Amino acid sequence: MILDNLNANYFSGQGQMLIAKRNSAGIPGAYWLVGNAPKIEVKPSMERREHKESQSGSRLIDKVQTTTKGGTLDVTLEDIRKDNMALLLSGKKVTLAAGNYTSGSPDALPSGLAVGSYVKLGRQNVSSLVIKDAAAATLTAGTHYALRDAKHGFVEILSLGSFAQPFKAEYAYGQVDIVTQFEANDDDEYSVYLALTNTEGAPDQAVGYEIYRTVFNAAELIALINEEQGSFDISARILRDTVRAADSNYGGFGRWIYVDDNA
């Protein structure tokens, strides 16, 4: 028996995942780091059609033809940075600027409020709140209402007095960043690069894995309250890149790169 232990190159991976949105020409833009990702798996797939001959009496398989090539990318994310959340929610990133609701343009509250009602203001990071009734009479903070959560903009009604509804709120609000769910374009495609370290052996070996064209699905589950470290699973379909397929240095789907020497 011949053993190849001297040239063994086993693998145990660690590293960073970077993603970039592709433009209409298939060129990746700026990459972002996804942060800690404890699981990254590529599942290549090939579908093949088998043909049976009908001459021998044994119906033997005499031809195998590949009909489809592709695969999936499965990732567990732990970081809720905006670019990650846009993938998880299949959404778009939006920034709402800071501003003010004024007496000339107030934030209208819903009618029919009762004592103990919680009202959500239209914006977050609220300060300098003043509430007036339909006749422009001013309610007293601490007596008629209380700003219970300035970060999220929740007000509790403490007393209605003789005030006429609907109430109107005047306040300053801070800038917030938003990811809108299910608003991403259906044709959004992404390039993925894995900057990996093979920790088997000494010294560590740098390798890369590049996927040129993927389409991400929204997360099937987003757990929002956790007793331990939360994580989010997301998957992508790997598609063929016809431009890079014409270059033998790339191939049509992806490539494994020995950045450091291989055994």
Side-chain angles (χ1 to χ4, degrees):
M1 179 182 293
I2 300 175
L3 300 179
D4 192 27
N5 290 337
L6 293 178
N7 295 314
N9 195 179
Y10 301 117
F11 181 75
S12 179
Q14 295 273 281
Q16 295 178 311
M17 181 177 184
L18 301 94
I19 303 177
K21 183 179 288 189
R22 290 159 47 101
N23 64 19
S24 58
I27 306 301
Y31 284 83
W32 80 86
L33 284 161
V34 303
N36 199 58
K39 185 189 82 171
I40 303 175
E41 296 178 341
V42 174
K43 299 177 182 177
S45 65
M46 296 178 64
E47 295 182 10
R48 288 178 167 173
R49 182 177 63 214
E50 296 181 346
H51 179 268
K52 295 181 180 180
E53 54 82 24
S54 59
Q55 302 178 75
S56 69
S58 298
R59 296 181 176 84
L60 301 175
I61 296 173
D62 65 349
K63 182 178 178 60
V64 176
Q65 182 177 6
T66 300
T67 58
T68 303
K69 298 177 182 178
T72 57
L73 170 68
D74 296 324
V75 182
T76 297
L77 299 174
E78 293 183 333
D79 195 303
I80 62 168
R81 62 192 66 187
K82 294 188 290 293
D83 288 304
N84 289 356
M85 292 309 299
L87 287 182
L88 292 165
L89 296 174
S90 188
K92 289 184 177 180
K93 298 180 294 180
V94 180
T95 296
L96 298 182
N100 296 271
Y101 280 107
T102 63
S103 58
S105 181
D107 185 5
L109 305 186
S111 301
L113 299 178
V115 173
S117 295
Y118 276 81
V119 183
K120 183 181 178 301
L121 301 174
R123 297 295 297 267
Q124 291 78 24
N125 292 326
V126 173
S127 61
S128 305
L129 175 64
V130 174
I131 296 181
K132 298 178 181 179
D133 76 351
T138 302
L139 283 68
T140 302
T143 299
H144 302 113
Y145 69 92
L147 180 57
R148 295 302 190 195
D149 191 333
K151 284 286 186 182
H152 296 282
F154 277 95
V155 174
E156 182 183 5
I157 302 300
L158 303 178
S159 173
L160 294 173
S162 58
F163 295 104
Q165 298 191 51
F167 299 144
K168 299 176 182 180
E170 303 168 14
Y171 56 91
Y173 51 83
Q175 175 180 304
V176 295
D177 294 318
I178 291 174
V179 176
T180 60
Q181 188 165 9
F182 294 139
E183 295 296 329
N185 296 324
D186 288 339
D187 57 355
D188 283 348
E189 296 181 352
Y190 296 86
S191 295
V192 175
Y193 191 92
L194 300 174
L196 300 173
T197 299
N198 181 13
T199 61
E200 290 286 343
D204 291 343
Q205 178 187 28
V207 294
Y209 190 78
E210 188 174 14
I211 306 172
Y212 315 129
R213 185 183 175 206
T214 66
V215 176
F216 279 90
N217 301 312
E220 293 185 5
L221 174 67
I222 300 178
L224 298 178
I225 295 181
N226 321 94
E227 292 188 4
E228 299 180 359
Q229 173 71 52
S231 62
F232 311 91
D233 293 328
I234 191 170
S235 65
R237 174 68 68 178
I238 299 172
L239 305 177
R240 185 172 185 265
D241 186 324
T242 57
V243 174
R244 287 170 179 78
D247 188 334
S248 60
N249 293 322
Y250 286 85
F253 293 91
R255 58 181 182 170
W256 179 275
I257 305 167
Y258 292 100
V259 180
D260 289 337
D261 290 339
N262 182 44

